[in-house]
Amino acid sequence: MALVEAVVVAAGASRRMRGADKLALKINGKSILAHTVEGVLACERVGRIILCVRAEQVEEMSAWLSGLQALGTREWQVIAGGEERHVTVSRALSALSEDCSIVVIQDGARPMCTGAWVDRGIDLALAEGAAVAGHPARDTIKQVEDGGRVVQTPPRSRLWHAETPQVFQVALLRQAHARAMEKGLSLTDDAMAMEIAGYPVRMYEVGANIKVTVPEDLCQVRALKGDERTMRIGYGFDAHRLATGRRLVLCGVTVPCTRGLLGHSDADVAVHALMDALLGACALGDIGQHFPQTAEFDGANSMALLARVMALVDGAGYRLENCDITLTAQSPRLAPYIPAMRQALAGGMNVELGRVSVKATTTEHMGYEGRGEGISAAAVVLLSPKGDDLWR
């Protein structure tokens, strides 16, 4: 029986992920790398795994891999990769066991990998020497010169997207890699070495096999894996009656007016709508549940309540990307106070000013707002999972 070992390539710098370590980003509470490694290990024929990481990560990732439940009793090794992918794989080939005859090479950033994909690749590699997972091209592909001028349009029926796992007979791959290294060639995948050396390579189609390279890829993978911690949208609405003898407080700012809003707290209708939007985005109920009309909240400062709601959002694992509030009032004129309102909300939520929008409108004297009986507010928020510094 062939001895199969797997190499997971995870030594990249995540340059296109806007500063985030993409392999550490979470899907359903587990890192992308954990999903990838577990997918490879789901193939029982894999007897040993080599994880290639950046040199400064070897100690940390050794501790992580040794504690991975999916590893079971399999042997493992963590090695330092190189600056380029083909250097990393060359080092991994040197670390394979002497009697290893089949090697599975998997990109660490392809978390959709399954044991069935690996198993099929092993069978094909045993029969034909090399097997590469991928997909037939669905778009028309253009070959271009520098500057973008089209040279030709290759027949789409003959084009495939090469992905991983890529599975090889070890002896052939070692020979092919050695030749490529001698020639100083830079390989974007390991099948290239086989092709250059003249060895046959068999493509085989797999399911959705997204490589997480840019933030949009992460959204797709989370959706495919049913991750509930995707970006969340929340909507809130509130209205309060105007009454004499009350201060008019909107977005934490006192607006000069002969009347203010009537309510159990300071009746800041905008902040109330905002809090409901935040709570709704996290499915945490509404402000009535959290701040009932009891003595504790009699005359409460809504900005102080907003701080408590933000703590709940943080505890749920989310943070604010942006909020947009619309105030509807016939009078007083609110436009002069909007800059101060935005500043107050940004400070109260500890976010950048650019993430806070406040607008004001009238109803052209229609409805209770138009008759001057009250003021309403609507708010929309967008939240993202904490730990994903991708859109910042």
Side-chain angles (χ1 to χ4, degrees), residues 93-315:
L93 292 177
S94 298
L96 293 174
S97 303
E98 289 184 8
D99 52 351
C100 175
S101 57
I102 294 290
V103 61
V104 178
I105 299 179
Q106 172 69 21
D107 290 331
R110 289 193 187 272
M112 302 300 294
C113 181
T114 71
W117 298 357
V118 176
D119 200 58
R120 187 175 174 208
I122 292 170
D123 287 337
L124 290 171
L126 283 168
E128 304 189 35
V132 175
H135 285 88
R138 295 181 175 87
D139 299 317
T140 297
I141 308 296
K142 303 289 186 181
Q143 182 180 342
V144 300
E145 300 175 322
D146 291 342
R149 186 183 297 274
V150 174
V151 175
Q152 64 173 327
T153 303
R156 185 172 59 187
S157 61
R158 299 178 62 185
L159 298 176
W160 279 62
H161 297 280
E163 301 163 357
T164 63
Q166 298 191 1
V167 190
F168 307 93
Q169 292 182 18
V170 172
L172 298 182
L173 184 60
R174 278 183 171 147
Q175 292 174 21
H177 250 274
R179 292 180 191 177
M181 297 289 275
E182 287 172 5
K183 295 179 180 180
L185 301 177
S186 180
L187 306 175
T188 55
D189 77 344
D190 303 290
M192 279 183 66
M194 298 286 285
E195 296 157 27
I196 292 167
Y199 297 128
V201 177
R202 167 70 179 274
M203 296 294 300
Y204 68 102
E205 190 169 2
V206 294
N209 193 15
I210 298 163
K211 183 178 182 182
V212 180
T213 303
V214 295
E216 293 75 16
D217 299 329
L218 180 63
C219 293
Q220 291 186 61
V221 173
R222 280 186 169 147
L224 287 168
K225 284 188 170 285
D227 190 340
E228 294 181 355
R229 292 188 68 250
T230 54
M231 299 186 85
R232 296 287 193 94
I233 296 172
Y235 171 78
F237 176 84
D238 196 25
H240 282 273
R241 184 182 297 275
L242 285 162
T244 57
R246 296 275 298 187
R247 286 188 311 131
L248 179 58
V249 182
L250 297 171
C251 299
V253 174
T254 298
V255 177
C257 189
T258 58
R259 295 182 297 166
L261 292 172
L262 188 64
H264 188 71
S265 64
D266 60 9
D268 189 331
V269 67
V271 174
H272 292 183
L274 176 59
M275 289 191 291
D276 261 348
L278 291 164
L279 291 168
C282 297
L284 294 174
D286 58 33
I287 56 174
Q289 293 174 245
H290 293 273
F291 313 118
Q293 293 189 14
T294 61
E296 179 185 0
F297 300 109
D298 186 15
N301 182 324
S302 293
M303 290 297 289
L305 302 183
L306 176 60
R308 292 172 62 167
V309 169
M310 290 300 291
L312 292 171
V313 171
D314 182 75

Side-chain angles (χ1 to χ4, degrees), residues 12-23:
S14 300
R15 292 186 181 91
R16 288 171 285 183
M17 195 51 84
R18 303 177 193 172
D21 180 358
K22 64 183 179 183
L23 298 182

